[in-house]
Amino acid sequence: MRSLKEYQTVTNISGPLMMVEMVDEAKYAHIVDIELADGSIRHGQILQVERDKALVQVFEGTSGIDVERATVRFLGRPLELGVSRDLLGRVFSGLGAPKDDGPAIIPDKRLDINGRPINPFARDYPNEFIQTGISTIDGLNPLVRGQKLPIFSGAGLPHDKITAQLARQAAVLGKEEEFAVVFAAMGITFEAAQFFIDDLQQTGAIERAVMFVNLANDPAIERIATPRFALTAAEYLAFDLDMHVLVILNDMTNYCEALREISAARKEVPGRRGYPGYLYTDLATVYERAGRIKGKTGSITMVPVLTMPEDDKTHPVPDLTGYITEGQIILSRSLHRKAIAPPVDVLPSLSRLKDKGIGEGKTREDHADLYNQLYAAYAHGKEAQELATIMGEAALSDEDRKYMAFADRFEVRYIGQDYYENRTVEQTLDLGWELLSMFENVELKRIDVKLIEKYMPRFRSKKEPQVDEQNTADAGTAEGTE
Amino acid sequence: MSETSKGKIVKVAGPVVVAEGMTGSRMYDVVRVGELKLIGEIVELKGDTASIQVYEETTGIGPGGPVADTEAPLSVELGPGLIESIYDGIQRPLDDLVEAEGSFMSRGSSMPGLSREKKWHFKPTVRQGAEVGPGDIIGQVDETTLVKHKIMIPPVIAGKLKSIKKGDFTVEDTVAVVEDGNGREHQIRLMQRWPVRNARQTQKRLAPNTVLVTGQRVIDAFFPIAKGGTACVPGPFGTGKTVVQHQLAKWVDADIVVYVGCGERGNEMTDVLTEFPKLKDPRSGEPLMKRSILIANTSNMPVAAREASVYTGITIAEYFRDMGYSVALMADSTSRWAEAMREISTRLEEMPAEEGYPAYLAARIASFYERAGRVQCLGNPQREGTLSIIGAVSPPGGDLSDSVVQATLHVVKVFWSLRGRLAYQRHFPAIDWLTSYSFYKQYLKDCFEDTEQGEEMERFTVEAMGLLEQEAELLEIVRLVGAEALSPKDRLALETTRSIREDFLHQNAFHKVDTYTSMTKQYELLKTVLHFHKEGLAAVDAGVDTAQIFKLAIREEIARAKYISESEMDKISEIRERITEQTKQLAGSAVS
Ligand SMILES: Nc1ncnc2c1ncn2[C@@H]1O[C@H](COP(=O)(O)OP(=O)(O)OP(=O)(O)O)[C@@H](O)[C@H]1O
Ligand SMILES: [Mg+2]
């Protein structure tokens, strides 16, 4: 190994950035170690080099760095993660250092955490249905292997419970394969992280998990590296060790804030709400690492979680995420208030890869028509609900009233389920038919007549009234129209 | 390509590298940067200092590294082998790269756009001794079952055809020799090169005058695009821009399709790659891939190559237009292209205009769309080619006041406005019928062989649009004072517009039959929906209660008419007969 040069030429510190001068071998995006006067080490990455000046972002922050006495070592390599099968079951810091009391990892190889883009021609199309046991996902927004499907949440909404449920239940139908969960925590609370870890521990899934944890009180700039560590581990597990990996990135809003901080310190022209203009591209280099590759067994399925500031979907973080991911699961505060859990806001949620993963031979032939119909009916019902709040129920037509009753029932029975309830996809589909049985065939415009004839009778013949408490009156009229 | 090593790197900031000692270099020269020989392009020259946008990740590059100038501008290779290819933003064949380097992109690879080994059968169409000039077609290669690849004399060469041979050649072999007026000989090969940032020459520009049929009802019937026309599809995320682009790439009535995935998802390209070979062109019955070329510079691939990708795509498209073909280019998404420009501009420390975009944003967008058009092609035989551009735009938050949307709307002639509200309702394509527009509407009627049918269709679309406009007003009334306030005719109008929306405008891209609708079937469907309206009005006049009209069994048949296959179209006119029967019956019983 060549000897590393040391420099004591830090000239300038501003925010998380540091300028080192009279350097003669700085390379773009390589990393440095910074030794402080007290002997402690910090880590940095070169953001820009011009002649003999290197601009360095310091992951742990610059507070306490003494311009006079800091020593900078240029390591001559990008940020790397040493990988081996022993990553499984381990907990690391946001910068990839072991954080549990386990031994150091003896790596098979060291990988640049930035990875390399998957050649689009090498991709294999995600089309294997993952049963999550959650009706709003399996029935309406099916997740497939290799997909990136974020959860758009808001402060105080139960996204942690949903991700834990996903980690617990997600399985591909009829397959016993090696799977793993990679969890990257970025700026979340100790409590939230611990909840997730405990949950995995209870089910034993912890053995198959790798965690990279940067908590709310950990250095903010470190968060820029955390998802990249996680994805490097995931790529190794998926494409070298043939595992099916579920990656959960929580919370991407905190990640973006760290990027914003760097951008501001560099005095870059800010984009919307102060986020840098390259936020889209940067997020893409994270999210696009999900996928399947031709000729390889493993896959990376990604569920990024983000909190929408003020529940605003047009905020740059959810907006740009939505532009990259393959759909989104949006949580609804109003359902949460109604104590309907998991509070998935069905109408604006969408899985874009659903069509390839469902249907005959995958889930069931009626799946696509069924979700189209459920959507349409629920949308109609929600519209009626809105109308009713503005003008009073009296203003509604009989038809509107019927759809409103449907929407209420749908929320309680279909959307609502227990966090430990693992519904099979058949149960979810049948539940859909049962709820639709209050409509006449003509009204089910989106379902093929043959499918209605095949699946509906079972639920129509069940004549014992399928009524839930709050909708007794409405349900009566609905059935009466038949 | 010759490479002269001369410059030295002095600065690296992301995708931009600055080098000194570049005397003699020209703007837009392609250079190789660092020991890894990363590919880059000079985008700014100040004295002997060049700013270079690098098409690959610059990690590990630093001051002192070498820069070599290839002394040629960024160009594409044009010749047999383009069809069915998938390229990155600078025409590197992604399929060959997987074979050579594996599933992940590595750096510094240089692989030619066209295979050097593959032999093509060349058939001359002109004889030795003929006088030829720029753009003249001298022969052809049957590249795929769908594409006859015309071999043209490159611009600037003219003279007497000294020799021309039939046979099997690689793209680099000489197939003909032209002797110019000065007695100089020019080798003509199957391949030529063209710098991507310059538009290819044409004889004359003509105004578009025919509709480019897409098989998408809302587009063809209400907001058609012309052959040689320009269209943009802005919309928030998830509203269906890519699906519209894919649908057009699949079904558009063009000879050649160039699809540019510019800074979007990798899986979307895979989708095209897996689906197109399986789908059959409705006109020829051949796999759609046999007329398609894909450019894929996905969002995680380097930003500078993304900037170049639209130029690579449009240059290839122009080349096929020059053969006399009708070419359609889809760019998804032009916003990512604009953002790439913005990022490079920021790193060049240029003065930003709005939203950080460079001041030349609008000019670049305009000159890109200007490369579309219907043209009289250069050279003999006389021929017309068209190049249509359909660009997706992804404005932040779906806000149409965004710079890229605004700059695009200044130049394009068709606007398909996608609405989040419609997408949530799963009304696809989520094209807002009230705000979208097309300047090519007047050519719609010529799509029909039967002129009478064409004129009728024109009337139908006017009537349907009138009803849809009325719907907006009626719904407002309902919101304010309730449904009771509506007259029976208004109620009927609302039901008809619902039927126009659900049974005509709504089109499921993933349904076997619904995915494509011929012009004739569009006519049949719209006629049927409006026939119900007409007969309904008559029934109302006869005193029939609207509720009874709405309950008619025929309505379900109207709703399902779009799923009737093209070969059974007479079933649609039968529905009309039953509409008449059933409404007459109602009217009859109302009178008695
Ligand atoms: N014509 C259609 N028929 C059926 N579904 C559609 C149609 N158009 C869009 N969709 C649905 O909408 C989803 C999103 O569409 P699409 O991917 O085209 O959005 P987009 O506007 O390109 O989004 P982004 O800007 O994020 O790329 C599709 O995955 C599909 O589920
Ligand atoms: Mg898209």
Side-chain angles (χ1 to χ4, degrees):
Chain A
M1 227 173 121
R2 68 202 158 101
S3 67
L4 298 174
K5 280 210 183 150
E6 296 191 344
Y7 298 90
Q8 289 191 308
T9 45
V10 176
T11 55
N12 205 335
I13 293 176
S14 120
L17 303 181
M18 186 179 85
M19 185 70 89
V20 195
E21 298 199 358
M22 292 186 289
V23 182
D24 61 13
E25 56 193 54
K27 303 272 191 274
Y28 176 71
H30 278 180
I31 50 166
V32 303
D33 275 354
I34 306 143
E35 190 175 329
L36 272 56
D38 63 1
S40 64
I41 304 278
R42 294 200 190 168
H43 306 84
Q45 183 174 16
I46 300 171
L47 289 184
Q48 179 174 324
V49 281
E50 181 161 11
R51 298 181 193 277
D52 63 349
K53 292 194 196 67
L55 179 69
V56 173
Q57 82 182 6
V58 184
F59 289 113
E60 294 88 348
T62 51
S63 76
I65 298 186
D66 181 342
V67 174
E68 306 283 302
R69 289 195 291 170
T71 306
V72 182
R73 274 187 291 274
F74 286 74
L75 303 185
R77 58 177 170 82
L79 207 48
E80 289 170 341
L81 175 69
V83 292
S84 89
R85 186 174 261 277
D86 300 335
L87 289 174
L88 289 170
R90 300 293 305 271
V91 182
F92 299 89
S93 76
L95 264 186
K99 208 179 177 177
D100 49 16
D101 31 17
I105 300 281
I106 301 163
D108 277 351
K109 53 180 172 182
R110 303 189 62 82
L111 298 172
D112 177 351
I113 63 157
N114 289 306
R116 290 188 285 150
I118 301 178
N119 181 322
F121 188 77
R123 281 185 190 267
D124 211 352
Y125 203 76
N127 59 7
E128 281 177 295
F129 176 78
I130 299 177
Q131 180 176 293
T132 67
I134 302 172
S135 290
T136 41
I137 297 181
D138 295 350
L140 304 173
N141 299 291
L143 175 68
V144 293
R145 259 183 188 166
Q147 183 173 11
K148 39 195 180 293
L149 187 64
I151 297 177
F152 288 10
S153 186
L157 293 180
H159 49 262
D160 293 326
K161 289 194 176 152
I162 300 174
T163 51
Q165 191 173 9
L166 284 173
R168 223 170 26 237
Q169 300 180 349
V172 168
L173 293 180
K175 295 210 174 170
E176 293 289 326
E177 287 165 322
E178 272 211 289
F179 72 94
V181 174
V182 174
F183 182 69
M186 289 154 287
I188 65 173
T189 60
F190 170 77
E191 221 180 300
Q194 203 56 43
F195 168 78
F196 190 84
I197 295 174
D198 287 349
D199 200 88
L200 288 185
Q201 222 137 28
Q202 271 163 26
T203 55
I206 196 90
E207 307 281 304
R208 323 254 354 134
V210 191
M211 326 241 178
F212 294 86
V213 181
N214 167 289
L215 296 177
N217 58 348
D218 286 333
I221 303 308
E222 198 177 281
R223 286 165 204 163
I224 295 174
T226 308
R228 298 189 160 83
F229 275 106
L231 284 159
T232 304
E235 280 172 355
Y236 175 73
L237 297 174
F239 303 128
D240 282 23
L241 302 186
D242 294 340
M243 295 183 193
H244 292 288
V245 186
L246 175 67
V247 179
I248 294 170
L249 307 174
N250 184 10
D251 171 325
M252 288 305 287
T253 305
N254 296 332
Y255 167 87
C256 294
E257 270 162 22
L259 273 186
R260 177 166 67 176
E261 194 179 331
I262 294 289
S263 174
R266 293 183 76 179
K267 302 198 168 51
E268 290 170 338
V269 187
R272 284 201 314 147
R273 305 224 193 169
Y275 290 93
Y278 49 81
L279 184 58
Y280 172 85
T281 299
D282 187 279
L283 283 173
T285 60
V286 172
Y287 296 146
E288 277 285 314
R289 289 172 80 171
R292 292 171 69 208
I293 290 181
K294 280 187 223 158
K296 302 207 192 252
T297 315
S299 63
I300 298 180
T301 308
M302 191 190 293
V303 178
V305 176
L306 56 89
T307 44
M308 299 181 279
E310 286 148 27
D311 293 351
D312 176 9
K313 195 162 66 95
T314 66
H315 180 279
V317 178
D319 189 46
L320 295 177
T321 297
Y323 269 125
I324 303 163
T325 52
E326 287 138 351
Q328 66 282 335
I329 302 294
I330 302 189
L331 303 189
S332 150
R333 200 167 290 281
S334 89
L335 286 178
H336 186 58
R337 280 201 203 101
K338 288 197 229 170
I340 289 168
V344 172
D345 201 350
V346 166
L347 297 180
S349 294
L350 170 70
S351 161
R352 303 202 195 178
L353 303 184
K354 60 183 187 298
D355 297 287
K356 306 275 155 93
I358 61 171
E360 204 164 356
K362 296 194 164 163
T363 54
R364 213 167 72 183
E365 53 175 342
D366 53 328
H367 199 155
D369 283 12
L370 192 57
Y371 74 59
N372 279 327
Q373 190 64 59
L374 287 168
Y375 258 110
Y378 182 56
H380 189 159
K382 290 301 272 187
E383 249 171 55
Q385 264 179 9
E386 255 169 57
L387 206 61
T389 41
I390 303 171
M391 319 213 348
E393 270 197 46
L396 297 185
S397 67
D398 287 348
E399 193 192 19
D400 285 348
R401 230 166 289 169
K402 185 156 134 192
Y403 278 97
M404 199 165 102
F406 169 82
D408 286 336
R409 266 193 247 178
F410 180 80
E411 288 179 357
V412 174
R413 308 226 3 236
Y414 195 98
I415 301 181
Q417 76 182 80
D418 192 85
Y419 285 111
Y420 285 84
E421 182 183 356
N422 192 353
R423 292 182 186 160
T424 66
V425 67
E426 286 79 18
Q427 286 171 330
T428 291
L429 294 172
D430 288 348
L431 182 56
W433 283 108
E434 190 185 325
L435 290 167
L436 287 176
S437 67
M438 64 186 277
F439 297 108
E440 290 172 61
N441 286 6
V442 215
E443 292 173 288
L444 305 177
K445 277 195 191 179
R446 312 234 165 161
I447 311 184
D448 194 316
V449 194
K450 288 194 209 88
L451 293 174
I452 301 182
E453 280 163 5
K454 179 161 172 194
Y455 290 96
M456 190 55 101
R458 281 194 278 147
F459 303 99
R460 288 263 170 76
S461 57
K462 260 198 230 159
K463 262 305 168 204
E464 98 270 12
Q466 293 279 336
V467 185
D468 29 301
E469 321 73 71
Q470 61 247 83
N471 297 317
T472 323
D474 290 334
T477 50
E479 242 97 53
T481 53
E482 271 180 50
Chain B
M1 255 185 275
S2 70
E3 283 175 22
T4 48
S5 190
K6 53 181 176 187
K8 205 175 81 186
I9 299 171
V10 294
K11 176 179 174 184
V12 185
V16 169
V17 165
V18 179
E20 274 179 355
M22 301 292 289
T23 349
S25 288
R26 289 164 307 179
M27 270 300 267
Y28 302 121
D29 270 1
V30 171
V31 295
R32 307 298 296 251
V33 177
E35 309 291 350
L36 284 170
K37 290 179 174 284
L38 305 184
I39 302 175
E41 181 186 11
I42 298 179
V43 289
E44 193 180 83
L45 269 176
K46 280 183 194 150
D48 75 339
T49 305
S51 297
I52 298 157
Q53 61 173 359
V54 182
Y55 294 129
E56 306 183 75
E57 244 299 302
T58 51
T59 298
I61 302 293
V67 174
D69 192 336
T70 65
E71 292 173 358
L74 184 66
S75 302
V76 285
E77 296 185 349
L78 302 168
L82 285 169
I83 305 288
E84 295 186 88
S85 288
I86 173 164
Y87 294 119
D88 77 351
I90 51 174
Q91 211 202 5
R92 288 184 294 196
L94 289 168
D95 44 356
D96 294 343
L97 282 178
V98 169
E99 206 155 292
E101 300 173 345
S103 311
F104 293 87
M105 301 291 291
S106 36
R107 296 189 291 167
S109 353
S110 55
M111 209 175 253
L114 297 178
S115 159
R116 294 295 187 266
E117 279 92 54
K118 177 147 189 176
K119 289 204 165 168
W120 301 95
H121 186 71
F122 173 70
K123 287 182 292 194
T125 49
V126 291
R127 276 203 213 102
Q128 188 177 327
E131 285 294 329
V132 293
D136 284 1
I137 294 174
I138 57 164
Q140 77 182 35
V141 165
D142 292 346
E143 187 173 350
T144 68
T145 42
L146 281 179
V147 179
K148 300 201 184 326
H149 195 119
K150 316 276 183 188
I151 304 302
M152 296 171 288
I153 301 283
V156 311
I157 296 176
K160 202 190 201 79
L161 206 52
K162 207 173 154 204
S163 70
I164 183 163
K165 2 175 221 197
K166 177 178 165 154
D168 296 336
F169 302 100
T170 71
V171 291
E172 285 180 315
D173 293 336
T174 299
V175 296
V177 177
V178 174
E179 188 181 291
D180 67 18
N182 305 323
R184 263 189 51 208
E185 289 189 353
H186 302 266
Q187 316 281 315
I188 307 296
R189 303 181 168 86
L190 294 183
M191 174 181 90
Q192 46 178 290
R193 279 205 178 76
W194 190 264
V196 298
R197 296 191 192 275
N198 301 345
R200 282 176 62 88
Q201 296 152 2
T202 59
Q203 190 85 28
K204 197 160 103 200
R205 300 226 7 204
L206 308 163
N209 63 357
T210 40
V211 165
L212 179 68
V213 177
T214 67
Q216 309 306 300
R217 297 187 290 265
V218 58
I219 292 177
D220 291 345
F222 293 99
F223 312 106
I225 173 171
K227 289 190 173 166
T230 49
C232 75
V233 206
F237 68 78
T239 48
K241 296 179 291 296
T242 303
V243 174
V244 166
Q245 298 267 36
H246 281 193
Q247 285 299 92
L248 262 56
K250 285 175 195 166
W251 306 123
V252 95
D253 161 33
D255 302 312
I256 306 286
V257 167
V258 179
Y259 191 95
V260 187
C262 173
E264 292 286 316
R265 303 170 182 81
N267 281 333
E268 290 173 349
M269 299 314 296
T270 315
D271 192 17
V272 175
L273 280 170
T274 43
E275 236 189 289
F276 277 34
K278 288 187 232 153
L279 292 171
K280 298 244 172 351
D281 176 24
R283 284 155 289 266
S284 65
E286 286 294 318
L288 285 172
M289 203 58 204
K290 298 212 176 289
R291 62 163 194 189
S292 312
I293 298 156
L294 309 180
I295 316 283
N297 213 93
T298 56
S299 55
N300 55 336
M301 287 161 78
V303 132
R306 186 198 298 172
E307 192 273 336
S309 65
V310 300
Y311 293 106
T312 297
I314 193 98
T315 308
I316 293 174
E318 284 176 339
Y319 172 66
F320 282 101
R321 172 207 63 193
D322 291 347
M323 296 178 200
Y325 287 128
S326 114
V327 184
L329 176 132
M330 287 91 203
D332 184 15
S333 161
T334 59
S335 292
R336 308 306 167 214
W337 167 52
E339 284 164 11
M341 270 190 253
R342 172 168 68 187
E343 182 160 355
I344 302 294
S345 163
T346 309
R347 299 288 172 229
L348 291 171
E349 291 165 14
E350 291 173 340
M351 183 68 99
E354 257 172 87
E355 296 167 42
Y357 285 109
Y360 46 78
L361 174 77
R364 292 267 170 98
I365 288 177
S367 52
F368 168 65
Y369 282 102
E370 269 303 292
R371 289 174 77 168
R374 180 167 78 100
V375 305
Q376 174 88 55
C377 305
L378 198 64
N380 287 314
Q382 292 255 325
R383 57 200 187 269
E384 242 180 60
T386 59
L387 168 49
S388 320
I389 301 181
I390 300 106
V393 195
S394 319
D399 177 2
L400 294 179
S401 68
D402 160 68
S403 305
V404 183
V405 175
Q406 286 305 315
T408 307
L409 286 178
H410 272 294
V411 285
V412 300
K413 293 286 188 285
V414 180
F415 171 49
W416 298 321
S417 176
L418 298 180
R419 281 295 150 102
R421 189 177 48 78
L422 293 173
Y424 301 154
Q425 293 167 358
R426 297 300 187 265
H427 174 96
F428 289 120
I431 296 178
D432 182 352
W433 49 89
L434 294 180
T435 54
S436 300
Y437 59 75
S438 161
F439 279 87
Y440 305 120
K441 192 83 209 286
Q442 70 267 35
Y443 306 120
L444 173 66
K445 56 177 183 301
D446 305 328
C447 293
F448 294 85
E449 272 169 34
D450 180 345
T451 42
E452 213 168 294
Q453 217 174 47
E455 275 159 19
E456 226 181 326
M457 182 66 172
E458 198 165 31
R459 282 199 303 278
F460 290 156
T461 59
V462 171
E463 183 185 350
M465 192 47 72
L467 282 165
L468 288 168
E469 274 161 17
Q470 193 192 348
E471 176 185 47
E473 292 159 24
L474 291 177
L475 287 178
E476 194 55 34
I477 296 176
V478 173
R479 237 187 309 278
L480 294 174
V481 285
E484 283 72 43
L486 296 182
S487 72
K489 283 193 180 168
D490 288 345
R491 276 174 215 224
L492 180 69
L494 277 186
E495 276 303 305
T496 304
T497 53
R498 162 129 69 126
S499 175
I500 296 174
R501 286 187 283 110
E502 293 182 2
D503 309 333
F504 186 81
L505 296 179
H506 184 286
Q507 185 168 5
N508 184 349
F510 306 110
H511 187 282
K512 201 160 74 261
V513 175
D514 205 23
T515 183
Y516 171 84
T517 310
S518 69
M519 262 351 273
T520 316
K521 188 174 156 193
Q522 296 191 27
Y523 162 87
E524 290 289 338
L525 288 176
L526 195 55
K527 184 170 182 171
T528 306
V529 170
L530 294 173
H531 186 69
F532 174 80
H533 187 64
K534 191 173 83 193
E535 298 291 320
L537 282 178
V540 169
D541 280 335
V544 179
D545 182 10
T546 48
Q548 276 187 297
I549 303 177
F550 302 159
K551 267 201 213 131
L552 285 177
I554 195 67
R555 301 204 55 216
E556 195 184 341
E557 291 190 54
I558 301 175
R560 297 188 195 277
K562 56 185 175 183
Y563 304 122
I564 294 173
S565 73
E566 297 278 340
S567 55
E568 298 179 311
M569 226 149 7
D570 40 342
K571 286 198 178 160
I572 306 180
S573 50
E574 287 165 19
I575 295 178
R576 285 198 297 275
E577 283 161 26
R578 281 194 293 279
I579 293 175
T580 313
E581 248 166 60
Q582 295 187 11
T583 45
K584 289 263 153 37
Q585 217 169 357
L586 276 185
S589 51
V591 174
S592 57

